[in-house]
Amino acid sequence: MPASIDPLSALAGFGFGLSLIVAIGAQNAFVLRQGLLRRHVFAVVAVCALSDAVLIGVGISGVGLAIDRLPVLMTIVRIGGAAFLVVYGVLAARRALRPSALAPDTTRLTAGLAATVATCLALTWLNPHVYLDTIVLLGSVANSHGDSRWLFGIGAAIASVVWFTALGYGARLLRPVFARPLAWRILDGVIALVMFAIALSLILGI
């Protein structure tokens, strides 16, 4: 192994990656809700983790610098992302006003695999913050590690896998709490507020 490659860069990337994704956001809220419902959890976790890995790789390859110099492109993504988040927020608000307990007859009414994956992809790829965090910010930090930049990226990608897996499959531990309609009302209310807040921040950032 060349002396210029530092194995600890992978650990640094893991920690930095966690610091970016462990926060209340549109993507995490969606993964949590699917985990509680036990619906298409593997697919949702895979989409989120693979998307992060692709975006991290793109950032390390230097594309982040090009995106940072294309404000028009980011403006378009901001507008599209804000519109989608508003719609999703409205749906969450409607669920909060008409809550239901976590029961078998409720889970059957949830979206199918295709719709779930499509929603997950939209929440991931229509959010400009994802590009700023992974491609621009994480890519810049990774490239500061020189020859170890790809080890840094691998560490960050592993962090995504660990986090989304823990969030998606760990959510089932909260199922007894969400057996009550009030718990779902609170969760969906919080999700709606998060979606509206992120949408507003995207519009104000234009």
Side-chain angles (χ1 to χ4, degrees), residues 90-178:
V90 169
L91 294 177
R94 289 181 60 185
R95 289 196 303 266
L97 294 175
R98 299 176 181 177
S100 58
L102 186 60
D105 59 336
T106 301
T107 57
R108 282 201 297 266
L109 299 177
T110 56
L113 177 61
T116 300
V117 170
T119 301
C120 188
L121 286 171
L123 287 172
T124 300
W125 291 88
L126 288 180
N127 184 2
H129 291 305
V130 171
Y131 298 96
L132 295 176
D133 286 347
T134 55
I135 296 182
V136 178
L137 181 57
L138 196 148
S140 298
V141 175
N143 280 298
S144 70
H145 284 252
D147 292 339
S148 302
R149 61 187 181 278
W150 288 106
L151 280 179
F152 186 94
I154 290 173
I158 292 175
S160 291
V161 174
V162 171
W163 169 251
F164 288 121
T165 299
L167 184 61
Y169 287 99
R172 65 186 58 189
L173 298 177
L174 297 174
R175 284 176 65 86
V177 176
F178 285 87

Side-chain angles (χ1 to χ4, degrees), residues 33-54:
R33 197 172 199 282
Q34 291 302 124
L36 287 169
L37 293 173
R38 293 186 180 181
R39 296 286 293 179
H40 316 302
V41 179
F42 178 79
V44 169
V45 169
V47 167
C48 292
L50 288 175
S51 294
D52 272 5
V54 170

Side-chain angles (χ1 to χ4, degrees), residues 1 19 30 63 80 84 86 121 132 144 150 199:
M1 178 182 294
S19 71
F30 182 74
V63 177
F84 179 81
V86 167
L121 286 171
L132 295 176
S144 70
W150 288 106

